[in-house]
């Protein structure tokens, strides 16, 4: 009989874990950018200024980011499967509330609650999947998981645009409801319960990082409307930075912090996390602007805009499986670094050719290059992350990486939209182009820096020589597949 460490096939429980965590992560990741192509329709229906449109994206990404590590800690303390189901239920209910919103403020509030549900659910998907899959096939499984997550992020504009044009923008949220209702009982029946020993909740750490990130993002979003030297913006930046500094100090000195800063002493963990933050900063901010450019400047409908982004958004379906296999053979570091480099080149190419009358044929090469880069990054990134920590730290590592990705996304939308507002605006196609070009150059620079940081990841996986995971699995029979 094969042992879990030498088994090279995905058995029933592992397949169920991959399917359930993959679908859940797809929903959570999809809602990062599903609203982007719906923004003009939401603006026409509910009203709102640029800052309000930013908050329909950032209300989700911000609560998602700041509560991710707390969500992972809740799962370690009270049961990962149990909290995964709780997060699913919150996310599903908030999706219905977003669809029923009658004003922009109600929509932003519902999006914030969606982020709470996703923050509880998302970090546990990676922990549940890692525990269920044999070590010999973990690279393949995590590659599939990463590709699904990347595809969800990238296909958000297409799905959002199609639903907005052919039904209504509300359906970008209604879509989650039946999927969530189906996943909840399946998760209860098909996933094994587990906890981590001596898990404790870090309430002070959660309050510090939540307040700090909110202050910084709030200041960035409102900088152009209120002025960089206004009391509100300066207060948000100063207090936010101070609270983040307090969180870092807390992580070094507290006995059981939500984010042990000792993990960042490993250059591989530091490199892949900083690379992830910068990748999402450049990618999120760019998609936020380019999806609106295709409608407001190029004149495409929401569906047409989403379809024309397919060479970028659909490329993970083709390249990601190959990237996962390649990373198993040569290691994840070169694949991740190459993907980030391609993504940076794609965004830079876009910035170089963008004009109010640019043809789609001219946009096609950077779209394809960006798609290849995205796929090469997403497929092995999760496995690279898990290889930098001991199994006992994988829950916190997952929460940390997901949190930094979402922080990057929120900062990307805020920073690139701020540059856009300073250099251009919605007044005319030329004004929109004038604002988008410098923002894209900043996005390309951030991702290029991420490519360099990815090279900090060592070739040798530390987790391979780490002690076994001390997580406690609750004795419970999980029905076999089929």
């Amino acid at each position: 009989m094969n042992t879990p460490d030498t088994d090279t096939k995905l058995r029933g429980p592992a397949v169920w874990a991959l399917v359930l965590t993959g679908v859940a992560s797809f929903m959570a990741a999809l809602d990062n950018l599903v609203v982007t192509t719906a923004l003009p329709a939401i603006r026409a229906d509910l009203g709102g200024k640029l800052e309000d449109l930013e908050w329909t994206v950032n209300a989700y990404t911000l609560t998602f980011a700041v509560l991710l590590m707390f969500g992972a800690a809740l799962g370690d303390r009270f049961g990962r499967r149990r909290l995964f189901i709780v997060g699913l239920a919150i996310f599903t209910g908030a999706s219905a509330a977003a669809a029923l919103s009658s004003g922009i403020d109600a929509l932003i509030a519902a999006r914030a609650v969606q982020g709470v549900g996703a923050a509880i659910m998302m970090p546990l998907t990676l922990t549940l999947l890692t525990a269920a899959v044999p070590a010999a096939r973990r690279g393949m499984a995590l590659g599939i998981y990463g590709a699904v997550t990347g595809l969800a992020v990238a296909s958000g504009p297409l799905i959002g645009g199609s639903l907005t044009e052919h039904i209504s923008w509300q359906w970008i949220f209604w879509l989650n409801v039946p999927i969530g209702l189906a996943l909840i009982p399946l998760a209860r029946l098909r996933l094994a319960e587990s906890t981590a020993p001596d898990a404790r909740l870090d309430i002070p750490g959660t309050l510090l990082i939540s307040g700090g990130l909110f202050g910084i993002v709030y200041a960035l979003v409102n900088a152009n409307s209120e002025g960089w030297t206004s009391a509100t913006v300066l207060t948000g930046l100063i207090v936010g930075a101070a609270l983040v500094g307090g969180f870092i100090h807390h992580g070094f000195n507290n006995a059981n912090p939500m984010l042990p800063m000792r993990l960042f002493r490993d250059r591989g963990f530091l490199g892949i996390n900083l690379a992830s933050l910068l990748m999402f900063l450049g990618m999120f901010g760019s998609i936020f602007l380019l999806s609106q450019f295709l409608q407001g400047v190029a004149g495409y409908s929401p569906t047409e805009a989403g379809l024309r982004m397919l060479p970028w958004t659909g490329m993970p379906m083709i390249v990601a499986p190959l990237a996962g296999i390649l990373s198993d053979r040569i290691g994840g570091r070169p694949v991740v670094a190459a993907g980030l480099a391609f993504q940076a080149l794609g965004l830079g190419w876009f910035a170089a050719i963008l004009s109010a009358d640019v043809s789609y044929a001219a946009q096609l090469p950077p779209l394809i290059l960006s798609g290849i880069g995205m796929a090469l990054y997403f497929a092995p990134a999760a496995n690279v992350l898990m290889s930098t920590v001991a199994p006992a730290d994988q829950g916190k590592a997952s929460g940390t990486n997901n949190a930094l990705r979402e922080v990057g996304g929120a900062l990307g939308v805020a920073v690139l939209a701020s540059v856009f507002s300073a250099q251009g605006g919605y007044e005319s196609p030329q004004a929109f182009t004038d604002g988008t070009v410098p923002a894209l150059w900043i996005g390309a620079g951030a991702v290029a820096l991420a490519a360099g940081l990815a090279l900090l990841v060592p070739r040798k996986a530390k987790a391979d020589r780490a002690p076994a995971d001390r997580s406690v699995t609750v004795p419970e029979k999980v029905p076999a597949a089929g």
Side-chain angles (χ1 to χ4, degrees):
M1 178 181 294
N2 290 325
T3 65
D5 288 334
T6 61
D7 191 358
T8 58
K9 295 182 180 179
L10 292 182
R11 303 297 183 183
V15 171
W16 273 111
L18 180 58
V19 170
L20 293 174
T21 59
V23 173
S25 68
F26 185 92
M27 281 202 310
L30 180 72
D31 275 59
N32 273 307
L33 286 172
V34 74
V35 300
T36 53
T37 42
L39 288 175
I42 293 173
R43 189 182 186 196
D45 192 12
L46 302 181
K49 299 175 291 185
L50 175 64
E51 302 92 271
D52 298 316
L53 297 181
E54 289 180 62
W55 278 114
T56 62
V57 178
N58 281 341
Y60 179 80
T61 56
L62 193 57
T63 54
F64 194 175
V66 300
L67 295 176
L68 265 165
M69 289 177 282
F70 189 61
L74 286 173
D76 288 345
R77 173 68 177 83
F78 297 109
R80 292 158 180 158
R81 183 188 65 185
R82 180 179 294 114
L83 267 294
F84 175 73
I85 293 171
V86 169
L88 263 174
I90 294 172
F91 182 85
T92 303
S95 296
L100 295 169
S101 299
S102 57
I104 193 71
D105 291 337
L107 176 60
I108 291 171
R111 289 281 287 165
V113 178
Q114 260 192 314
V116 173
I120 298 172
M121 171 178 69
M122 191 68 169
L124 301 177
T125 60
L126 201 51
T127 310
L128 289 166
L129 179 60
T130 302
V133 175
R137 305 305 277 168
R138 200 165 287 155
M140 180 189 71
L142 291 175
I144 295 172
Y145 172 93
V148 167
T149 304
L151 179 62
V153 170
S155 62
L158 173 60
I159 294 173
S162 298
L163 291 173
T164 298
E165 182 177 354
H166 298 294
I167 309 178
S168 70
W169 65 262
Q170 285 87 351
W171 275 91
I172 63 180
F173 303 114
W174 282 127
L175 180 67
N176 295 324
V177 176
I179 298 174
L181 292 176
L183 285 179
I184 289 171
L186 286 172
R188 175 64 182 84
L189 292 171
R190 299 296 183 178
L191 296 177
E193 182 63 283
S194 65
T195 58
D198 303 321
R200 294 182 175 89
L201 301 180
D202 183 9
I203 303 298
T206 301
L207 293 175
L208 284 169
I209 193 63
S210 300
L213 290 175
F214 178 82
I216 292 170
V217 173
Y218 181 85
L220 290 171
V221 168
N222 289 280
N224 279 289
S225 61
E226 299 192 20
W228 284 94
T229 58
S230 68
T232 300
V233 171
L234 288 177
T235 300
L237 290 173
I238 294 170
V239 174
L243 290 174
V244 170
F247 174 75
I248 294 172
H249 181 269
H250 175 80
F252 275 117
N253 294 281
N254 190 271
N256 292 285
M258 66 187 299
L259 175 55
M261 291 297 160
R262 61 177 171 79
L263 294 177
F264 288 98
R265 294 192 178 111
D266 182 279
R267 65 186 178 93
F269 185 82
L270 175 66
I272 191 62
N273 278 289
L274 289 180
S276 296
L277 184 148
L278 290 169
M279 164 65 172
F280 271 62
L281 188 154
M283 185 187 66
F284 266 52
S286 299
I287 292 178
F288 177 80
L289 293 172
L290 286 173
S291 60
Q292 294 183 74
F293 175 89
L294 289 172
Q295 294 180 71
V297 178
Y300 297 120
S301 70
T303 302
E304 289 171 341
L307 286 172
R308 279 161 176 77
M309 293 186 75
L310 268 181
W312 186 0
T313 61
M315 196 59 68
M317 297 180 66
I318 302 171
V319 178
L322 301 176
I325 295 170
L326 186 64
S327 68
D328 278 340
R329 294 188 177 183
I330 69 171
R333 182 181 76 160
V335 180
V336 168
L340 292 167
F342 286 168
Q343 179 69 84
L345 287 171
L347 291 176
W349 195 337
F350 244 123
I353 58 109
L354 205 66
S355 65
D357 58 353
V358 64
S359 68
Y360 181 67
Q363 298 175 51
L364 198 54
L367 283 170
I368 293 172
L369 188 61
S370 295
I372 294 172
M374 180 182 289
L376 289 175
Y377 163 78
F378 273 117
N383 201 28
V384 169
L385 169 74
M386 290 308 194
S387 75
T388 66
V389 297
D393 287 324
Q394 286 180 344
K396 289 181 178 179
S398 171
T400 301
N401 187 254
N402 278 293
L404 288 173
R405 288 183 178 191
E406 298 306 317
V407 169
L411 290 175
V413 172
V415 170
L416 269 63
S418 179
V419 173
F420 167 84
S421 296
Q423 301 295 321
Y426 288 97
E427 295 81 13
S428 67
Q430 187 59 52
F432 197 99
T433 304
D434 290 342
T436 302
V437 169
L440 290 179
W441 279 119
I442 291 175
V447 182
L449 180 57
L453 289 169
L455 296 176
L456 290 174
V457 177
R459 291 185 178 88
K460 178 67 175 175
K462 174 176 284 193
D464 291 343
R465 57 182 186 272
D469 189 358
R470 295 179 293 112
S471 295
V472 179
T473 301
V474 177
E476 178 180 344
K477 184 177 180 181
V478 179

